[in-house]
Amino acid sequence: MNEGKKMRVLMAKPGLDGHERGAHVVAHGLRDAGFEVIYTGLRQTTAQIVNTAVQEDVDVVGLSILSGAHLSLSQKVIDGLKNAGAEDVMVIIGGIVPDEDIPSLKKMGVREVFTAGTPVSEIANFITRST
Amino acid sequence: MSDNKKRLKNIEYAEAEWKKNVLDKRVGRFNLSKSPTRFYSPLAVSNFNFLEKVGFPGQYPFTAGNNPFDYWRAYAEDAAKMGYRPDWGAASGVGKYGGFGTAEDYRDYLIRMHSMGRTGGPNMAFDLATQCGYDSDSPYAEGEVGRVGVAIDAFNDFATIYEPYTGDLEIDRVPSNFTINAPAAIIIAMYAVLAEKRGIPLEKLRGTPQNDILKEYIARGTYIYPPKHSLRLFRDICVFCTQHMPKLNINSMGGYHIREAGATRVQDLAFSMSNATAYIQAGIDGGLAVDSFAPKFTFNAFGGSMEIYQEIALQRAARRIYARLLKERFNAENPRSMMIRQPITAHIGCSSTTLQRTLNNLTRAVVGGMAAGMSGGMPGVFPPFDEPLGLGHSQEAVQLQLDATRILIYEAKVADVNDPWAGSYFMESLTDEIEAKSLAEMEKIENMGGAVAAIESGYMQKAISKSAYERQKRIESQEEFVVGVNCFTGENEMDVNVNRVVEATYDPELLKSAEDRQKRKLAELKRQRDGKAVSSTLAALKEHARDENKNLMPDICECVRNNASLQEICDVLRDIFGEFQQARF
Amino acid sequence: MKITKTVENSWQSLVDGVQAGNIRAMARLITQVENREPGWKDAMKAIYPHTGSARILGITGSPGAGKSTLTCEIADELVKRGHQIGIIAVDPSSPFSGGALLGDRLRMKKIFTLKEVFIRSMATRGTLGGMSQAARDVARIMDAFGKDVILIETVGVGQDEIEVVKTADRVMMVCIPGQGDNIQALKAGVMEIADLYVVNKADMPGADEVMADIYAMLELSSEAGQPTPPVLKTSALKNQGIRELVATLMADSTESNRHDDKEEMRIKEEIFSLVEDEVLRFLRRRWEENGEIAEAARQMIEQKKDPYSIVAELLNQFI
């Protein structure tokens, strides 16, 4: 890794779900772990998320979803990244995700799912390890 | 020197002696850097005035409780003997609060629930598109239709849900709840129009809309317009309801959501009270006398941690602050104006539950129930232990939750004494402390220009975001302990798995097709309705929205009557009011 | 586990991609240049001949002045006028962790998906001169891509931010009502860098007072006979005054000779900044490798020498 290299992460809230606590906590935590975190706020369409990921050349897109719409939203982000030639961007998910949905998410290309109670340090370590 | 001063001096002297001869020696023996002992003597509340600070239950300042006894205590014995199954403490009791899919799906579900013994009117959850003022055919609604609640695009959807509510279930007989905020005016208008069409006088309607938009900016995110315009809509609702639907509660404010979004206890109380202040002022600005509407204000639960003493003190402090606010600042005279009326009182909050060794959440929720029972509420145990699994609650978890509440009531007799901590040196000083800190924070917000200004500048949002992050850091650094999460996680511990049968609350196939069906229904409505009437009523609404002094409820009712869609109404107001954008955090 | 990159990562192919209008190539090249990855200077040399046609506007002002919203509205208006926009949004890095929270996009949702707009958030990364140079380089890459107006927005008015906006052709200072004291405080060294003043949130009470404060300040600091910079009112949230502002910004930027002195100063500053960077890098490597710096440190620890003599001796070999 180059000395000047900084890991860049996009924290995004797709859809209309307005619970921001988790996204805020993780964004702050990753900043304090030395990451550059781009936060775009609530109600992002998947097209907006993909555009941002490409323009900001992020290494990771973190989706925070608590509305139960994780399957369709993740699929759209992953497809969008692929269409933009950015399928190398790692997608991870946080929020409320039932155990039984995790295999489907991983199959569509989500690298990891972090549910409630995950320490932010664990997320930071995972990103560092996987990129 | 008075007798009391002499008495306190003696205690002070005795305390110094105790520290020297007993405490310090022991601290030295264990080689500790500071003493873990916390003990409260009369010195902690040296100026304690019982009538001023506590009073009798059901009397100002309501520290000891709103009532000499709550309604449920009146029939508690009968309930046990007759096998009646009240869903005490369970906001999520069998099919109580919910909603999914299209209006037809939800209607059929309610019919099924009523055949299984459900009582009362609908307690509606709306999907996120509806909550944010979008119709099902909006691009923003994609993937959201009918997901976390029912989709309402226009009056015909609302009317569909109420098809089974006739006869004994007629809307002048059963109350309805609407968990709706930004488009609350529209949903209330739909309720009014429904009554009108059924020939039921509006003044007979009962129920509670959540209608607490200010906390949406702070905690839940389903806002539409900038806060000051939202407050104007609140004023219009408040005036309309007071004049035409006096039995309907006006709102269900604060507390719970703000706490769950990360606020500390003091922030939660102060922000909720500041919001309440803004709502009361809005009613007064609308030309109402405070006692004409304040009795119809309600709160959802304050609370949300495992710290039992602090949660008890919070309830007591909250009641005292609100009572004083209404009486001293707003000159209310009716005691009902001064009460915090909330369906659940103290509880641990869903964010206290853990995914790890899930059954521990039952133990945790019991602590919340005890806090409730010891602070003037029903000892309701909440939430069910499987809350963090995110699948809806299993019947088993709900059964254990109900039983836990019953055990606290009948076996532990937790609620047999009103405000059992009254007069405790510790509890009174803790109550004073929480009250003082909250009042200081409220004053800070007041100096910023009140709740609306503090939301516009992002102050409240940033404050709770910071608190949430600080708590997370304390947990990760083991300054705070969560059993099974950041301590006692070694290999000597055992995972406890509980078998549970989760009935799929809602049919997954219906959920899948809801979006398409809902869109078709909306398209059909738009084809059949009188387009000219829609345009002209929307135009009237737009015209009146520009005039801040105008009450928009009659126009919104007119739009609803003419089958304007929810988003069409919201879009008109978006045009005039603009849309809210969060400040940077 | 390494992830494979779908754009070819060599600087040459990224430079080609930028010229061919490949957004992902531009984004990746910006990363490489910002990180000072090997080859960055060659890339910039290749980019440079294709630059020079873009107008670069610096937007600064204290936090809470509504700069992001204003930037968004300006960009939206410029797009309507047929321009291609690049936005560089600068936020401070945490001095403790080196990480950063880049939140400017929160107020720019309206333009996220416009194909004419490219937004890049940058953290200051703790080096003052370095950041200005990096912003300059990123603006050049956007320029070479075909963006003809580039907006550089900073979060506050600290020294870092001022250095950054000074790299722009024109600097706009955003003020808001209720900021009278701030304007007084800003006077020294900050206010005079601006070519244009905007009173944003002008629908709030106190707007006229801020206008008066600005005029008073300009009166004091400008030389007799010189035209004073324009002062405009806007309300970004209500989209008021934006068209006039953009018209002024663009009109001003066509009068090129008025700023000849500034231009020369900027070029000198850039050369110094690049030299400083190179020299420091060179000395660091050399003295770490030959042990001279370690030896110097040892002598200071043992209190045999003072730092001033040490520096004089170290530099003696070059000067």
Side-chain angles (χ1 to χ4, degrees):
Chain A
M1 199 195 275
N2 183 285
E3 51 169 314
K5 171 77 179 161
K6 282 270 174 219
M7 199 61 75
R8 288 167 70 87
V9 181
L10 168 61
M11 280 297 304
K13 293 235 20 129
L16 298 175
D17 161 42
H19 296 93
E20 272 185 296
R21 178 182 183 160
H24 279 193
V25 166
V26 173
H28 280 115
L30 292 181
R31 177 202 57 191
D32 289 349
F35 295 72
E36 287 182 359
V37 184
I38 293 135
Y39 186 64
T40 46
L42 296 181
R43 298 190 202 170
Q44 296 287 290
T45 63
T46 51
Q48 285 174 328
I49 292 168
V50 168
N51 260 17
T52 302
V54 168
Q55 294 182 358
E56 300 287 358
D57 192 30
V58 294
D59 303 280
V60 180
V61 173
L63 302 174
S64 162
I65 312 170
L66 291 86
S67 66
H70 44 269
L71 287 172
S72 65
L73 289 169
S74 310
Q75 185 69 63
K76 279 181 197 154
V77 169
I78 284 170
D79 290 348
L81 287 170
K82 205 170 280 175
N83 289 335
E87 62 266 37
D88 52 307
V89 176
M90 179 164 93
V91 177
I92 57 179
I93 293 187
I96 300 176
V97 177
D99 281 351
E100 42 272 54
D101 286 348
I102 294 177
S104 330
L105 287 167
K106 290 202 166 168
K107 204 173 151 208
M108 72 173 73
V110 170
R111 287 287 286 278
E112 196 49 271
V113 178
F114 299 99
T115 49
T118 309
V120 183
S121 52
E122 192 182 315
I123 302 175
N125 288 338
F126 176 83
I127 294 175
T128 312
R129 253 196 342 266
S130 316
T131 49
Chain B
M1 210 187 274
S2 71
D3 280 356
N4 189 43
K5 271 194 180 154
K6 239 184 254 166
R7 190 178 62 99
L8 291 173
K9 264 267 166 281
N10 279 339
I11 296 172
E12 220 169 282
Y13 174 77
E15 186 183 40
E17 288 291 301
W18 166 72
K19 270 199 176 128
K20 197 170 76 196
N21 297 330
V22 183
L23 182 61
D24 291 352
K25 277 186 185 158
R26 190 162 173 86
V27 170
R29 181 138 58 93
F30 282 90
N31 207 12
L32 297 176
S33 60
K34 74 177 210 260
S35 157
T37 300
R38 289 176 70 197
F39 181 76
Y40 290 75
S41 72
L43 295 173
V45 281
S46 53
N47 289 320
F48 180 67
N49 178 333
F50 170 76
L51 288 177
E52 190 187 291
K53 292 268 172 113
V54 186
F56 286 92
Q59 277 184 341
Y60 185 82
F62 303 104
T63 312
N66 286 346
N67 298 301
F69 57 89
D70 279 344
Y71 72 98
W72 62 272
R73 293 261 302 275
Y75 64 91
E77 207 177 312
D78 286 349
K81 285 179 180 161
M82 296 161 72
Y84 171 63
R85 194 171 191 266
D87 47 9
W88 287 341
S92 55
V94 191
K96 264 284 177 193
Y97 165 69
F100 83 110
T102 66
E104 287 74 16
D105 299 339
Y106 184 44
R107 172 199 62 196
D108 296 345
Y109 165 83
L110 287 170
I111 292 171
R112 207 167 68 245
M113 288 299 125
H114 282 292
S115 75
M116 288 163 63
R118 180 193 166 107
T119 56
N123 186 349
M124 287 187 213
F126 299 87
D127 70 7
L128 282 166
T130 307
Q131 290 185 49
C132 298
Y134 297 112
D135 285 344
S136 300
D137 58 359
S138 157
Y140 283 105
E142 222 185 314
E144 308 273 15
V145 177
R147 188 158 287 279
V148 300
V150 63
I152 299 287
D153 291 327
F155 178 72
N156 61 342
D157 294 322
F158 193 81
T160 300
I161 293 173
Y162 277 94
E163 280 166 16
Y165 292 89
T166 55
D168 281 348
L169 291 175
E170 186 54 84
I171 54 173
D172 55 356
R173 297 191 167 191
V174 297
S176 300
N177 287 327
F178 312 109
T179 302
I180 193 78
N181 296 283
I186 304 171
I187 298 298
I188 292 168
M190 289 179 176
Y191 198 35
V193 171
L194 179 74
E196 190 181 284
K197 292 197 184 224
R198 291 187 177 186
I200 289 165
L202 292 194
E203 62 262 22
K204 289 196 170 171
L205 292 180
R206 289 185 296 140
T208 309
Q210 192 164 77
N211 194 22
D212 176 17
I213 187 63
L214 295 178
K215 66 99 173 54
E216 292 297 320
Y217 302 100
I218 309 168
R220 253 191 97 247
T222 69
Y223 43 75
I224 306 176
Y225 324 109
K228 72 170 184 203
H229 298 289
S230 294
L231 202 58
R232 179 251 179 111
L233 282 173
F234 177 85
R235 177 202 68 188
D236 294 353
I237 295 169
C238 187
V239 171
F240 184 85
C241 289
T242 305
Q243 290 171 348
H244 303 287
M245 303 155 100
K247 281 190 180 166
L248 194 77
N249 287 319
I250 292 166
N251 58 13
S252 166
M253 291 177 278
Y256 173 74
H257 300 100
I258 296 178
R259 191 76 175 277
E260 286 289 293
T264 63
R265 188 172 296 110
V266 165
Q267 284 170 337
D268 178 14
L269 183 50
F271 294 177
S272 303
M273 289 294 151
S274 298
N275 290 350
T277 305
Y279 294 134
I280 297 165
Q281 190 60 50
I284 290 169
D285 292 346
L288 300 173
V290 67
D291 285 325
S292 72
F293 66 88
K296 301 315 281 181
F297 276 22
T298 73
F299 285 82
N300 63 39
F302 281 105
S305 90
M306 289 296 299
E307 296 171 335
I308 185 167
Y309 302 127
Q310 274 81 355
E311 292 304 328
I312 294 169
L314 170 69
Q315 294 298 321
R316 304 177 83 240
R319 286 195 296 261
R320 195 154 76 201
I321 289 180
Y322 193 65
R324 285 186 174 162
L325 178 74
L326 266 293
K327 185 172 179 165
E328 288 168 17
R329 172 163 172 174
F330 292 105
N331 303 314
E333 288 171 6
N334 182 351
R336 274 186 78 78
S337 299
M338 305 172 200
M339 289 177 195
I340 289 187
R341 298 189 300 133
Q342 45 181 355
I344 302 179
T345 63
H347 64 285
I348 59 165
C350 293
S351 60
S352 294
T353 62
T354 71
L355 203 55
Q356 296 83 349
R357 306 212 284 271
T358 323
L359 197 53
N360 282 338
N361 296 327
L362 180 57
T363 312
R364 292 191 174 99
V366 165
V367 172
M370 288 176 63
M374 291 193 280
S375 60
M378 168 188 290
V381 172
F382 179 82
F385 75 85
D386 53 4
E387 163 71 25
L389 298 179
L391 280 170
H393 303 138
S394 62
Q395 299 296 337
E396 290 89 336
V398 172
Q399 183 66 48
L400 291 179
Q401 172 198 22
L402 292 174
D403 281 346
T405 301
R406 295 159 179 162
I407 289 165
L408 290 182
I409 294 172
Y410 296 103
E411 299 180 23
K413 301 182 175 147
V414 164
D416 273 13
V417 175
N418 295 52
D419 195 15
W421 289 87
S424 147
Y425 308 128
F426 164 53
M427 189 55 71
E428 295 299 356
S429 82
L430 188 57
T431 306
D432 287 351
E433 185 190 321
I434 291 172
E435 181 190 36
K437 284 182 177 165
S438 303
L439 288 173
E441 183 66 22
M442 283 169 71
E443 200 185 327
K444 198 169 159 191
I445 291 166
E446 192 67 29
N447 290 336
M448 289 175 195
V452 166
I455 289 167
E456 280 171 349
S457 71
Y459 169 75
M460 292 194 198
Q461 300 90 312
K462 280 175 212 166
I464 65 167
S465 169
K466 190 161 171 259
S467 300
Y469 183 44
E470 276 164 7
R471 168 127 209 272
Q472 180 69 26
K473 282 200 285 194
R474 285 198 302 277
I475 290 172
E476 293 192 23
S477 63
Q478 285 194 314
E479 276 168 70
E480 251 181 67
F481 295 105
V482 182
V483 173
V485 174
N486 71 346
C487 58
F488 305 107
T489 55
E491 48 194 40
N492 293 333
E493 312 293 340
M494 183 185 142
D495 259 337
V496 180
N497 291 311
V498 178
N499 286 332
R500 47 183 211 136
V501 181
V502 183
E503 282 180 16
T505 320
Y506 307 123
D507 181 343
E509 289 309 308
L510 285 177
L511 264 177
K512 249 184 235 165
S513 63
E515 190 161 328
D516 278 344
R517 286 181 290 125
Q518 190 65 24
K519 276 188 193 167
R520 274 204 302 276
K521 186 178 175 191
L522 178 61
E524 183 62 24
L525 174 77
K526 284 186 176 172
R527 257 195 308 278
Q528 288 185 351
R529 68 185 181 177
D530 178 350
K532 274 205 188 113
V534 174
S535 317
S536 72
T537 53
L538 287 173
L541 173 65
K542 191 167 190 169
E543 192 48 42
H544 292 154
R546 288 201 179 92
D547 179 359
E548 227 171 279
N549 297 315
K550 202 90 186 163
N551 190 316
L552 296 180
M553 284 305 290
D555 288 305
I556 294 174
C557 287
E558 192 58 18
C559 293
V560 165
R561 265 180 222 115
N562 284 286
N563 300 307
S565 74
L566 181 116
Q567 181 172 350
E568 286 167 339
I569 297 171
C570 291
D571 281 347
V572 161
L573 299 178
R574 280 184 182 102
D575 267 359
I576 305 298
F577 299 157
E579 288 185 69
F580 180 67
Q581 285 194 34
Q582 282 290 6
R584 302 166 52 93
F585 80 111
Chain C
M1 206 185 328
K2 273 276 168 208
I3 42 181
T4 52
K5 308 276 177 187
T6 40
V7 280
E8 184 59 51
N9 267 334
S10 77
W11 66 262
Q12 188 56 58
S13 64
L14 290 177
V15 169
D16 291 345
V18 167
Q19 286 177 261
N22 180 337
I23 292 173
R24 191 142 161 77
M26 165 158 63
R28 180 57 52 78
L29 185 62
I30 288 173
T31 307
Q32 290 197 357
V33 168
E34 193 189 7
N35 290 345
R36 300 305 192 220
E37 286 176 32
W40 77 271
K41 273 178 279 182
D42 295 319
M44 287 313 298
K45 280 186 221 163
I47 286 286
Y48 192 79
H50 306 283
T51 64
S53 46
R55 304 285 164 207
I56 303 176
L57 307 173
I59 300 173
T60 192
S62 41
K67 292 180 300 294
S68 304
T69 312
L70 194 58
T71 303
C72 176
E73 293 300 330
I74 292 172
D76 194 41
E77 177 62 24
L78 284 166
V79 167
K80 283 183 194 143
R81 293 172 172 232
H83 292 283
Q84 293 284 329
I85 315 299
I87 296 175
I88 301 172
V90 181
D91 275 321
S93 295
S94 155
F96 306 107
S97 71
L101 255 183
L102 308 170
D104 291 285
R105 277 178 176 266
L106 260 171
R107 311 307 296 263
M108 299 187 183
K109 279 177 203 169
K110 191 173 167 184
I111 52 171
F112 268 20
T113 44
L114 296 180
K115 61 181 189 316
E116 296 87 353
V117 181
F118 181 96
I119 308 171
R120 184 62 176 235
S121 310
M122 287 180 79
T124 51
R125 298 195 179 174
T127 53
L128 213 122
M131 178 64 218
S132 319
Q133 189 56 44
R136 218 179 252 131
D137 296 335
V138 171
R140 283 188 181 132
I141 295 170
M142 291 176 171
D143 185 353
F145 179 88
K147 299 296 177 192
D148 63 342
V149 182
I150 291 152
L151 308 171
I152 303 181
E153 186 225 321
T154 64
V155 73
V157 280
Q159 200 52 45
D160 281 294
E161 284 91 348
I162 297 308
E163 290 301 317
V164 171
V165 290
K166 269 159 90 178
T167 65
D169 300 325
R170 299 288 175 276
V171 177
M172 184 176 114
M173 171 76 64
V174 187
C175 308
I176 43 168
Q179 247 195 345
D181 294 347
N182 278 12
I183 286 167
Q184 298 296 321
L186 285 177
K187 252 194 233 169
V190 175
M191 283 302 267
E192 55 260 35
I193 64 158
D195 306 283
L196 174 74
Y197 294 83
V198 174
V199 177
N200 193 27
K201 308 190 184 177
D203 51 327
M204 283 181 13
D208 292 332
E209 283 86 332
V210 196
M211 296 279 279
D213 283 347
I214 296 171
Y215 281 126
M217 183 275 302
L218 290 173
E219 190 91 337
L220 281 176
S221 60
S222 69
E223 287 165 37
Q226 287 281 346
T228 50
V231 185
L232 285 109
K233 279 190 195 175
T234 56
S235 170
L237 265 181
K238 295 188 172 165
N239 194 14
Q240 283 163 0
I242 305 297
R243 249 179 298 171
E244 296 75 5
L245 170 60
V246 168
T248 311
L249 279 172
M250 298 313 281
D252 188 38
S253 58
T254 52
E255 284 173 42
S256 52
N257 37 15
R258 224 191 78 196
H259 286 270
D260 268 356
D261 293 350
K262 273 200 176 175
E263 179 72 16
E264 193 188 320
M265 207 175 76
R266 267 206 312 276
I267 294 171
K268 282 183 185 165
E269 295 242 344
E270 175 167 13
I271 295 172
F272 274 124
S273 131
L274 286 168
V275 168
E276 197 178 293
D277 193 49
E278 290 282 325
V279 169
L280 264 180
R281 214 177 280 262
F282 166 77
L283 291 179
R284 219 174 248 283
R285 201 172 47 235
R286 180 181 171 128
W287 290 343
E288 293 284 3
E289 276 168 15
N290 68 14
E292 280 184 73
I293 196 79
E295 171 60 20
R298 196 183 53 76
Q299 290 188 332
M300 265 189 72
I301 291 164
E302 293 171 4
Q303 298 190 327
K304 285 185 185 154
K305 274 185 186 164
D306 66 274
Y308 313 101
S309 314
I310 286 174
V311 170
E313 281 167 30
L314 280 172
L315 290 179
N316 231 352
Q317 45 190 314
F318 303 104
I319 305 167

